[in-house]
Amino acid sequence: MQQPILFANSSRLRPPAGHYSHTCTAAGLVFVSGQLPVDVNGKPMSDQPFERQAEQVLANVDACLEAAGVDRSRLLQVRIYVTDMSFWPTFNLIYADWIGEVRPARVVAGVASLHFGLLLEIEAVALAPA
């Protein structure tokens, strides 16, 4: 018998504009779609400083995890894409405060650009609820 694949969207975020879900749970894992610094009304925060964008994107990841029935303690891997690696030290401080004692695997990649001219995007993988 095949395990079901569950798709979930957070009620705390605007529904996806494209053909995807905020999260997909399968084979004991939760996959969080790439989250951009977009506010609860779906407005890209391109006009906000990097720090504010980072805080919002992490809040969006939290909302996605919650929709899948997990929290940060279940994170296995976090992938961060930034348009300028000079933002990394600032992000690392914000991330350290957000993640606390949890230590998932992590990837940081510099990219040329992101949708809406935003400065970072985060995707994640977590262990599904037991």
Side-chain angles (χ1 to χ4, degrees):
M1 182 173 169
Q2 289 185 343
Q3 290 184 321
I5 298 172
L6 306 172
F7 303 99
N9 290 318
S10 173
S11 61
R12 294 182 7 204
L13 300 175
R14 185 171 180 169
H19 194 71
Y20 68 95
S21 297
H22 291 141
T23 68
C24 174
T25 301
L29 299 172
V30 175
F31 298 89
V32 177
S33 291
Q35 296 299 304
L36 292 164
V38 176
D39 70 19
V40 295
N41 298 312
K43 180 183 180 293
M45 300 175 68
S46 306
D47 60 341
Q48 296 295 311
F50 179 82
E51 293 83 352
R52 182 67 194 104
Q53 288 191 37
E55 291 164 355
Q56 183 65 53
V57 78
L58 291 168
N60 293 354
V61 170
D62 276 338
C64 291
L65 292 171
E66 180 184 281
V70 297
D71 62 25
R72 292 176 215 154
S73 70
R74 307 284 286 181
L75 284 169
L76 299 173
Q77 185 177 48
V78 178
R79 294 181 196 103
I80 301 114
Y81 306 96
V82 294
T83 58
D84 185 337
M85 289 303 284
S86 71
F87 293 134
W88 180 243
T90 300
F91 180 78
N92 201 40
L93 291 172
I94 294 167
Y95 178 85
D97 186 54
W98 176 79
I99 200 71
E101 295 302 313
V102 179
R103 294 292 185 265
R106 185 171 71 179
V107 174
V108 180
V111 296
S113 65
L114 291 166
H115 200 43
F116 306 118
L118 293 162
L119 302 175
L120 75 160
E121 182 171 0
I122 297 177
E123 63 176 314
V125 179
L127 193 60

